Amino acid sequence: MNIVLLGAPGAGKGTQAKKLVENHSYLHLSTGDLLRAAVRNQTPLGLKAKAFMDAGDLVPDDLIINMVKERIQEDDAKNGVIFDGFPRTATQAVALDSELAELGQPLDFAILVDVNKEVIIGRLTSRRTCRECGYIGSDADASCPKCSGEMYQRDDDNEATVRNRLDVYERSTAPLIDYYRGKELLVTIDGDRPVDDVYADLVKALGL
Ligand code: AP5
């Protein structure tokens, strides 16, 4: 099964994707995580992407599309992919459709995790992530509750950058809601509830 997780920054896409792959054998493909690894490793892609990410702007489509195309050719993508943070533009959405058609594995669902703006700003400015295992938590976690690793704050989780990311989302990504509705793939989930309640709706929507 191939699933796109849509939603504003901080809606909880990564949190839900991690729960899903704990219980099902899908690949969690987060373009944000792939880009952050590229920045950390100072690859040519990372060096090009860093300034866009620090500003909360989108990394150019061609870089992202090539990165995703390469990743979904790998063996661990064969059982299905949860696309988290991709596509984010109409160009990316069309490229994904054509790539999946070529692989003979079309998209099954586009899940919109819906959360309002003010909730999101609070969530992102207090988000902390584990350096060791990637657990997503908050500033209430002194260390990682899963592996005791160090929790850090992402460079783009300051309020000014978060507000720009939300504007970019409205301009470039929110139009994809209608794109997927038109293809009858869209399911909307209220993301402003406890994580486990959101997850229960997600697995129900996916028929898992
Ligand atoms: P990316 O890493 O994709 O960031 P994002 O879309 O802004 O999404 P986030 O990771 O911030 O949020 P999320 O929805 O996953 O929420 P989370 O589960 O962490 O992208 C970063 C940058 O990379 C972009 O700005 C861009 O520059 C570049 N980029 C990436 N993909 C790109 C693409 N396709 N094209 C171009 N550029 C691209 O949760 C957030 C917080 O809320 C956490 O603290 C969590 O614990 C908490 N939380 C989650 N669910 C709940 C809940 N139900 N109740 C209470 N708290 C909750």
Side-chain angles (χ1 to χ4, degrees):
M1 178 145 59
N2 289 315
I3 306 154
V4 162
L5 287 182
L6 275 179
K13 304 179 297 293
T15 301
Q16 295 300 326
K18 280 179 195 294
K19 284 183 78 71
L20 210 48
V21 296
E22 271 171 20
N23 299 310
H24 301 277
S25 57
Y26 302 124
L27 168 68
H28 175 197
L29 195 164
S30 156
T31 43
D33 286 350
L34 290 176
L35 289 167
R36 279 183 288 281
V39 170
R40 230 177 7 254
N41 297 326
Q42 301 194 335
T43 68
L45 168 65
L47 295 174
K48 285 183 196 146
K50 186 173 182 339
F52 294 101
M53 296 174 76
D54 285 348
D57 291 327
L58 294 182
V59 175
D61 283 337
D62 55 333
L63 297 178
I64 298 289
I65 290 167
N66 286 337
M67 178 178 83
V68 171
K69 271 188 184 173
E70 277 179 23
R71 189 63 188 87
I72 62 177
Q73 308 286 344
E74 291 177 34
D75 277 352
D76 59 354
K78 292 213 163 68
N79 285 332
V81 182
I82 302 162
F83 294 95
D84 165 9
F86 177 89
R88 260 173 151 100
T89 63
T91 304
Q92 293 180 18
V94 170
L96 178 64
D97 283 346
S98 91
E99 196 58 25
L100 292 178
E102 228 168 84
L103 293 171
Q105 297 168 352
L107 209 57
D108 296 284
F109 291 99
I111 305 284
L112 172 64
V113 185
D114 196 24
V115 178
N116 84 48
K117 217 174 181 176
E118 292 313 312
V119 171
I120 277 174
I121 292 170
R123 280 188 188 182
L124 288 184
T125 50
S126 62
R127 173 170 56 186
R128 301 291 183 273
T129 308
C130 176
R131 271 194 210 287
E132 308 302 321
C133 72
Y135 170 80
I136 302 167
S138 74
D139 53 8
D141 301 306
S143 61
C144 175
K146 289 216 159 166
C147 75
S148 305
E150 183 198 347
M151 302 293 284
Y152 78 100
Q153 183 172 31
R154 273 172 43 177
D155 291 343
D156 58 350
D157 276 349
N158 60 79
E159 187 168 337
T161 309
V162 167
R163 286 192 184 276
N164 186 44
R165 285 160 62 198
L166 286 168
D167 288 346
V168 169
Y169 171 79
E170 285 304 329
R171 232 178 12 250
S172 303
T173 308
L176 297 184
I177 296 169
D178 279 341
Y179 177 84
Y180 288 117
R181 187 179 286 123
K183 289 179 174 286
E184 300 188 352
L185 294 174
L186 188 78
V187 178
T188 301
I189 289 177
D190 177 2
D192 192 7
R193 289 170 309 135
V195 169
D196 288 341
D197 292 1
V198 178
Y199 184 67
D201 274 7
L202 176 63
V203 293
K204 193 168 159 206
L206 299 175
L208 294 171

